[in-house]
Amino acid sequence: MQEIQSLIGGFAVALSWFNLVLMFAGIVLGVIIGVLPGLGGANGVAILLPLTFSMAQQPGGATSAIILLSCIYWGALFGGAITSILFNIPGEPWSVATTFDGYPLAQKGRAGAALTAAFTSSFVGALLAVLLITFLSPIVARFALRFGPPEFFSVYLLTFSAFVGMSKGSPFKTIAAMMAGFALAAVGIDTVTGQLRLTFGFTELLKGFDFLIAVIGLFGIGEILLTIEEGLEFKGAKAKLDMRAVLDTWKELPTYWKTSLRSSAVGCMMGIVPGGATPASFMSYGLAKRMSRDGDKFGTGQVEGVVAPETAAHAAGTSALLPMLTLGVPGSPTAAVLLGGLMIWGLQPGPLLFVEKPDFVWGLIASMYLGNIVGLIVVLTCVPLFAAILRVPFSIIAPVILVICAIGAFTVHNSMFDVWLMLFFGVVGYVFKKLDYPLAPLVLALVLGDRAEDSFRQSMLLSQGELSIFFANGLVGTITALSLLLLFWPLIARGLDILRGRKA
Amino acid sequence: MADDRAVGSVRAWEVIVAGVFLAFGSLVVWESRRLGWQWGSDGPQAGYFPFYIGLFIVISSIANLYSAIAAGEKSGKPFVLWGQLRMILVVILPSAAYVALMVNPWFSLGIYVASALFIAFFMRYLGKYGWLKIAAVSVVTMLLFFMMFEVWFKVPLPKGPLEAAFGFN
């Protein structure tokens, strides 16, 4: 088992004191970020990314940097559950389904049980996803080594078609948001011809739009605006988590092993195929409701109703790193920001990473195991502390978060223009959220725009402009066909409905 | 003005946003045509890819425009209430002033002083705190940030006359 050997090597990298401290710091920061309104996994990592620039220059520093940032991500995943259960405010979109049963449980005075169930099942979901990454990603990477530009473009196509096919809202809004992201990515100097594109004579636009600024504005400022619209008060249940409640819940949890396994499977699948944690959590909640013996009691405070969405969300959030590492295609906005980090540190994400930087890849994978263990311990012991953060009045928290966003935006390129841009993206994010334009495809398109365009151009050069190159062999043909199926899925689904309606 | 008065309906805003997308898409198409969207002597020209991106924006925004108009009055829900909008302006306008205070051609305060003033404004205007508490929170927070960025991580942020007086440039 070559993977086991590589993994042991990875543990040797991850288990230095420095990295363990970073892991702990990352988890604590991540939970705080996940608990605070306006800060989430994606923009939290985006804001802290500039702080790692100098760290990544040192030998082995890139591994430490990714450990810090990925642990912030795990922390944010854990933190989302705290606000959903105690305050009925989903800190992250993927914790919405957790509120369905988590908040009623807290109101019944069983907040401890709900929190323990959420954290433990998050941990289980993440662990299964990391196991999947450990054993599947080397295979995927080896397979992807044979990919040429057409194959890569078809994978990008699949990524973006998945957003259209799996979104619950209007497919045209998804396409509009996504294409706007591509257009913004094209702004600046064209790398191939050296021509200026879409700058209209503004020198500030020469270097293009940085996706980090967009992420901080769209998710950070936009979220603050949405929160303040709802009013300033947070009303929450008491956060008490004693050892008794933890142990009692742990005794109860094994009876839900079927739900856990099913939810992990749903989460892993949805995480690898971009679409992400949010639909995974809803889907697995729905499945658990239909299949459980207590299904009709869901929504009134069932522990199983917390287990299902949390397992799936965490499994999906974790497995979203698999396509990022092996193909350079992130499965979620936060994975996209991590991918951006890799590029800034001078690493080329994609299948070659496994060959050229095994220390980095396996150090990261090993840190996923350790980080989730550290995370579980931290959240189980420190819940009251984190919940106390939410009791800080909004009139103090909001300006501090805005200041953090502004500093984060400035440090990306040391540019004031970016800070103004962040404010602009904040208003855009607010309007988009209100009108159900999805933000994730926009961010992913902004990150992948240049790479997608490059692979498309190279493919076109290979084929002298014939689109048939995307069906040239079995591999690329299958991926392209799958993408088209997903892209037109809203239409196909409607067609099927009409057919079924006629039969009935 | 009454707090529960609506500022535009969802439908109206759908139309506006779809219109903005339409204009943006058209702009991208127009720019791509200027750059050349076809096949040059050595391969695809600079506007080759953006042209289709712009085209997709135009097509999807027309579809969004159509569905917003076709939805009729049933989506006449308010987009935002006046009371809510006022809260949003209370955040957005001071934020803009805050960014302007940080660095401007006339009198730049630097990020730290501007941030402290910004936090103080929020605590006074929304939280109605006493000046002592305000001073404590805003100054301590910004001192913490100063230590973190200038001293520990050595990330230089825009500074103003106050920092210069203490010898930090």
Side-chain angles (χ1 to χ4, degrees):
Chain A
M1 292 297 264
Q2 207 190 338
E3 285 83 14
I4 304 272
Q5 252 178 21
S6 313
L7 187 64
I8 292 171
F11 273 109
V13 174
L15 270 173
S16 73
W17 276 112
F18 183 59
N19 285 342
L20 279 176
V21 169
L22 282 180
M23 231 176 263
F24 183 77
I27 294 279
V28 173
L29 261 175
V31 179
I32 294 174
I33 283 168
V35 168
L36 288 174
L39 288 177
N43 58 12
V45 176
I47 288 169
L48 289 159
L49 189 54
L51 293 183
T52 64
F53 289 172
S54 61
M55 187 198 282
Q57 300 306 317
Q58 284 139 23
T63 315
S64 302
I66 190 81
I67 287 177
L68 175 67
L69 294 186
S70 61
C71 280
I72 292 172
Y73 184 22
W74 315 140
L77 279 165
F78 277 117
I82 299 179
T83 51
S84 322
I85 290 169
L86 294 180
F87 295 86
N88 204 16
I89 307 164
E92 308 287 341
W94 55 72
S95 347
V96 173
T98 311
T99 60
F100 297 162
D101 274 282
Y103 188 61
L105 268 174
Q107 279 179 317
K108 281 198 254 170
R110 293 190 65 204
L115 287 169
T116 313
F119 296 148
T120 316
S121 43
S122 293
F123 175 74
V124 172
L127 201 65
L128 288 173
V130 183
L131 279 171
L132 184 80
I133 291 179
T134 311
F135 293 102
L136 194 60
S137 56
I139 300 169
V140 176
R142 222 170 297 145
F143 185 64
L145 277 175
R146 294 184 310 186
F147 278 19
E151 282 82 5
F152 270 113
F153 183 75
S154 65
V155 171
Y156 293 132
L157 191 65
L158 183 69
T159 309
F160 289 104
S161 301
F163 273 114
V164 179
M166 306 222 277
S167 71
K168 271 191 301 195
S170 150
F172 287 110
K173 282 185 176 169
T174 311
I175 295 175
M178 185 189 303
M179 291 301 153
F182 275 117
L184 291 178
V187 174
I189 296 172
D190 173 27
T191 45
V192 181
T193 62
Q195 276 174 293
L196 293 181
R197 298 197 296 191
L198 291 158
T199 56
F200 305 105
F202 291 102
T203 45
E204 287 91 348
L205 294 180
L206 280 185
K207 55 183 169 52
F209 286 92
D210 196 302
F211 74 99
L212 291 174
I213 309 298
V215 167
I216 295 171
L218 290 172
F219 293 101
I221 312 289
E223 201 63 42
I224 289 273
L225 294 178
L226 280 174
T227 313
I228 200 141
E229 189 193 281
E230 309 273 305
L232 299 171
E233 290 302 311
F234 289 131
K235 288 184 279 296
K238 272 263 182 314
K240 249 191 5 209
L241 195 58
D242 47 45
M243 247 9 243
R244 273 272 309 278
V246 174
L247 292 176
D248 284 349
T249 316
W250 274 356
K251 263 182 234 151
E252 189 184 346
L253 282 179
T255 48
Y256 307 128
W257 64 275
K258 258 194 224 157
T259 307
S260 285
L261 276 184
R262 192 190 321 115
S263 306
S264 305
V266 169
C268 289
M269 265 167 49
M270 302 287 279
I272 294 175
V273 184
T278 313
S281 60
F282 280 105
M283 194 194 263
S284 105
Y285 184 84
L287 277 175
K289 188 173 175 167
R290 209 174 309 153
M291 294 190 170
S292 165
R293 266 186 293 135
D294 306 318
D296 41 330
K297 277 191 242 154
F298 269 45
T300 60
Q302 289 290 311
V303 173
E304 199 177 355
V306 176
V307 170
E310 276 298 308
T311 315
H314 225 113
T318 311
S319 59
L321 292 192
L322 196 156
M324 182 207 97
L325 278 173
T326 54
L327 301 172
V329 181
S332 73
T334 314
V337 178
L338 289 173
L339 178 99
L342 295 192
M343 294 196 271
I344 293 170
W345 303 327
L347 296 169
Q348 206 38 254
L352 275 176
L353 204 61
F354 277 79
V355 183
E356 288 173 349
K357 301 270 179 199
D359 276 8
F360 175 82
V361 174
W362 290 103
L364 170 62
I365 294 177
S367 84
M368 290 180 189
Y369 287 96
L370 297 171
N372 275 298
I373 296 172
V374 174
L376 184 65
I377 297 169
V378 167
V379 285
L380 278 179
T381 46
C382 304
V383 165
L385 230 73
F386 292 124
I389 294 171
L390 268 179
R391 275 173 236 284
V392 177
F394 195 73
S395 50
I396 298 176
I397 280 287
V400 172
I401 291 171
L402 285 165
V403 166
I404 293 173
C405 287
I407 294 177
F410 178 83
T411 49
V412 175
H413 291 296
N414 289 332
S415 144
M416 275 314 285
F417 178 70
D418 282 346
V419 185
W420 286 108
L421 209 56
M422 170 201 78
L423 277 186
F424 168 74
F425 273 117
V427 176
V428 170
Y430 168 76
V431 175
F432 273 28
K433 271 268 178 69
K434 291 281 275 191
L435 296 179
D436 287 330
Y437 279 88
L439 297 178
L442 194 159
V443 171
L444 246 60
L446 199 48
V447 177
L448 292 177
D450 285 342
R451 291 150 59 89
E453 179 174 358
D454 283 347
S455 59
F456 183 68
R457 271 187 178 175
Q458 285 162 3
S459 312
M460 288 296 100
L461 274 174
L462 284 173
S463 70
Q464 288 303 306
E466 291 294 328
L467 283 172
S468 61
I469 192 169
F470 296 119
F471 291 99
N473 60 46
L475 178 61
V476 71
T478 314
I479 306 176
T480 312
L482 215 68
S483 319
L484 293 179
L485 183 74
L486 269 171
L487 183 62
F488 291 108
W489 183 250
L491 252 159
I492 297 167
R494 191 177 290 181
L496 286 178
D497 277 352
I498 292 172
L499 278 180
R500 229 176 271 147
R502 273 201 197 133
K503 265 187 209 153
Chain B
M1 237 179 284
D3 272 4
D4 53 358
R5 224 190 59 154
V7 184
S9 63
V10 168
R11 186 185 178 208
W13 276 89
E14 291 272 17
V15 172
I16 293 170
V17 171
V20 171
F21 266 107
L22 187 60
F24 179 63
S26 315
L27 188 73
V28 174
V29 169
W30 178 75
E31 170 83 353
S32 305
R33 287 187 64 103
R34 185 185 69 79
L35 289 164
W37 63 281
Q38 280 159 324
W39 202 261
S41 55
D42 54 346
Q45 289 176 302
Y48 186 71
F49 190 72
F51 175 79
Y52 292 100
I53 296 296
L55 208 62
F56 279 123
I57 299 179
V58 168
I59 294 168
S60 56
S61 61
I62 289 172
N64 286 333
L65 202 59
Y66 170 79
S67 65
I69 293 170
E73 285 310 311
K74 69 171 186 282
S75 69
K77 284 183 303 200
F79 178 70
V80 62
L81 301 177
W82 177 246
Q84 294 174 325
L85 182 67
R86 205 179 52 202
M87 289 305 290
I88 286 160
L89 289 178
V90 164
V91 176
I92 270 294
L93 295 180
S95 301
Y98 159 59
V99 180
L101 276 176
M102 259 187 242
V103 175
N104 56 60
W106 304 282
F107 189 76
S108 308
L109 285 176
I111 216 162
Y112 298 106
V113 177
S115 301
L117 288 177
F118 182 62
I119 295 171
F121 166 82
F122 256 83
M123 288 180 68
R124 185 72 199 170
Y125 190 84
L126 287 178
K128 313 265 186 293
Y129 286 95
W131 287 111
L132 198 70
K133 233 181 197 165
I134 291 175
V137 172
S138 57
V139 171
V140 168
T141 311
M142 288 334 291
L143 271 179
L144 213 70
F145 279 134
F146 185 80
M147 291 303 289
M148 193 168 143
F149 286 94
E150 289 308 314
V151 184
W152 295 330
F153 282 93
K154 307 237 181 282
V155 179
L157 296 177
K159 287 177 286 291
L162 183 72
E163 291 90 342
F166 284 99
F168 286 95
N169 276 305

